[in-house]
Amino acid sequence: MTAKQTIESGKAILGIEFGSTRIKAVLIDEDNNPIAQGSHEWENQLVDGLWTYSIEAIWYGLQDCYADLRNNVRKEYDTEIEVLASIGISAMMHGYMPFDEKDQILVPFRTWRNTNTGKAAAELSELFNYNIPLRWSISHIYQAILDNEEHVADIKFLTTLAGYIHWQLTGEKVLGIGDASGMIPIDPATKQYSAEMVKKFDDLVAPRGFGWRLFDILPKVLLAGEKAGFLTEKGAKLLDVSGKLKPGIPLCPPEGDAGTGMVATNAVKQRTGNVSAGTSSFSMIVLEKDLSKPYEMIDMVTTPDGSLVAMVHCNNCTSDLNAWVNLFKEYQQLLGIPVDMNEVYGKLYNNALNGDADCGGLISYNYISGEPVTGLAEGRPLFVRGANDKFNLANFMRAHLYASVGVLKIGNDILFNEEQVKVDRITGHGGLFKTKGVGQRILAAAINSPISVMETAGEGGAWGIALLASYLVNNPDKLVLADYLDQVVFAGNAGVEIAPTPEDVEGFNRYIVNYKAGLPIEEAAVKCKK
């Protein structure tokens, strides 16, 4: 079929993902190839000290994104979207969206970005003997309880952004297991919320006398491939204000952006992983078994089909590196030389590979914001060198590239060195890998593992949730998700792989020793410079 025939016959599949700065829609064909896209830019707002997106912004953003997709389809294929084979909704994970008995939101949506939940997260981590991050939904609700917020007594339903949109489109209060694992821990054996932790929480808050128990207000947990409802007439009008889209379309379980990233990089099988490296960075390693103990710097979530995942999340990655590269752009402009930023990045990044494996003793701290993994609530970007260090351009750029994944290395060293986690393949995606081969080599050295990069990884989470929607309706052989991705979607394409060299690994290890030793300098800068 041509793309136009696919759309007109109702065989196209839609994936929509709500990112922190962009809502993106991807339309794919039966072979899982993107055939049209749409997008909408948006920004969070700081309201009463908390980061939020308004309900109005959520729906306007969804509708404008879909309208952009619809316009692009009409322009490209001279046809209209009326019926789809399936739909998937994804969004940034975690956060807090509580609703009352009239389905009205009780407080503005509190996003993953809020850090007001420190006391709650610490107490729950101790109660559960399990690392509970600040951004998880259970931290948000317990912090609201600790703060004596009146609305808590009126909660009838608590969900995430993806769960909320899916509920409004289908009437179903469900959530994909990957997104659910960012609300409260999942039991790997039952693939449901941990009954033990739910009981501990209910016992903890029982003296408060709320009229609900946790299981009563959480969305039902679903695995990839399970039925999650159909687009209602109300939902069709919410999504497509033109009224052209017909109801009755099946939806896959709504998922979080971490899960769709795993799908888009073919990293849901045990002993695989992916690293996203852009403004912030995180790694997701799919485990064969649980870790021996909880670690504050490692979050435990799941794949969309319920395998346990160790996640290392870092607040800072390429922002400081980009700021330094912009200095060279300004220098070129001063000389009157036309600037091609791809060329600037390419020259500087590739020259960094000529530097010493340990950066000649130079250290960079790329902390635009705080970095929980290294225990810093705030950040101050710093470049540090001694009088006898080898200060040249190659070492300078190499130090900044190392810094972009330095904190990621610290977290992953725990997995690989202390927990002896085994990985067969790690896939990189994001801006750090745009200059061919360089970011891959740096990351390979950092975590002492081969790194693959695939062309399709750039399609992002909207493509990932579209693949999960495809898995719902285009899987006649009933393959498990990992095999479906391997055999049907990627068909053996593992991308281009770069393995670490012993010299690079040893050099990065020397760099990270200096990096850790210099952290008190960063701490002093936070105290001294406001």
Side-chain angles (χ1 to χ4, degrees), residues 168-461:
Q168 294 301 301
L169 295 182
T170 66
E172 300 289 339
K173 296 180 177 179
V174 300
L175 202 59
I177 190 170
D179 205 3
S181 70
M183 295 192 78
I184 185 170
I186 294 289
D187 182 339
T190 64
K191 300 192 186 303
Q192 297 294 320
Y193 302 113
S194 168
E196 178 188 359
M197 295 185 200
V198 168
K199 183 179 186 307
K200 285 183 177 180
F201 183 86
D202 284 339
D203 290 346
L204 176 67
V205 303
R208 305 268 183 167
F210 301 127
W212 52 260
R213 296 175 75 82
L214 200 52
F215 270 134
D216 299 334
I217 64 171
L218 292 174
K220 180 183 177 183
V221 179
L222 296 177
L223 302 181
E226 292 188 322
K227 295 177 180 177
F230 297 87
L231 187 69
T232 62
E233 193 168 330
K234 171 194 166 190
K237 290 176 181 175
L238 277 173
L239 180 57
D240 179 13
V241 294
S242 75
K244 299 290 186 182
L245 189 65
K246 293 179 171 57
I249 301 164
L251 273 77
C252 70
E255 265 299 351
D257 51 356
T260 58
M262 286 186 269
V263 171
T265 54
N266 192 18
V268 301
K269 185 179 288 186
Q270 292 180 0
R271 295 174 64 113
T272 66
N274 77 88
V275 171
S276 173
T279 304
S280 62
S281 69
F282 59 85
S283 64
M284 313 283 289
I285 307 296
V286 189
L287 304 176
E288 296 177 279
K289 60 180 182 178
D290 205 347
L291 301 181
S292 64
K293 62 180 182 180
Y295 296 92
E296 190 174 347
M297 61 185 68
I298 298 173
D299 303 347
M300 302 303 295
V301 292
T302 79
T303 63
D305 59 348
S307 288
L308 207 56
V309 176
M311 178 181 188
V312 177
H313 184 275
C314 310
N315 285 354
N316 302 281
C317 186
T318 59
S319 293
D320 189 45
L321 176 61
N322 293 340
W324 284 107
V325 171
N326 278 328
L327 283 184
F328 292 96
K329 179 189 82 170
E330 290 184 35
Y331 176 66
Q332 274 195 227
Q333 289 172 330
L334 279 175
L335 295 178
I337 302 172
V339 176
D340 178 341
M341 287 308 291
N342 287 330
E343 183 183 21
V344 173
Y345 274 100
K347 293 283 189 186
L348 290 172
Y349 276 32
N350 280 290
N351 186 52
L353 299 182
N354 298 323
D356 294 305
D358 65 352
C359 306
L362 310 183
I363 310 171
S364 169
Y365 296 99
N366 63 338
Y367 296 3
I368 299 288
S369 63
E371 195 55 79
V373 173
T374 49
L376 287 157
E378 294 182 54
R380 303 288 183 270
L382 283 181
F383 173 69
V384 182
R385 68 185 180 102
N388 296 320
D389 290 338
K390 297 177 185 176
F391 184 46
N392 56 46
L393 182 58
N395 282 338
F396 177 81
M397 287 307 302
R398 191 165 184 134
H400 286 293
L401 282 164
Y402 275 21
S404 66
V405 294
V407 178
L408 201 66
K409 173 180 173 58
I410 292 171
N412 278 277
D413 278 352
I414 291 174
L415 296 175
F416 299 135
N417 299 338
E418 296 184 31
E419 291 286 338
Q420 302 298 309
V421 169
K422 303 299 181 188
V423 179
D424 297 324
R425 185 187 75 244
I426 295 178
T427 305
H429 58 115
L432 182 66
F433 306 104
K434 191 173 180 181
T435 299
K436 192 174 180 180
V438 179
Q440 268 179 280
R441 182 172 159 185
I442 298 297
L443 182 61
I447 60 179
N448 193 16
S449 174
I451 304 297
S452 298
V453 170
M454 293 186 283
E455 295 284 334
T456 50
E459 298 293 348

Side-chain angles (χ1 to χ4, degrees), residues 62-81:
L62 177 67
Q63 292 162 359
D64 188 59
C65 177
Y66 183 83
D68 187 46
L69 170 75
R70 181 172 164 258
N71 288 337
N72 290 336
V73 165
R74 291 162 69 193
K75 191 184 304 179
E76 182 76 18
Y77 304 113
D78 190 29
T79 194
E80 184 66 70
I81 305 171

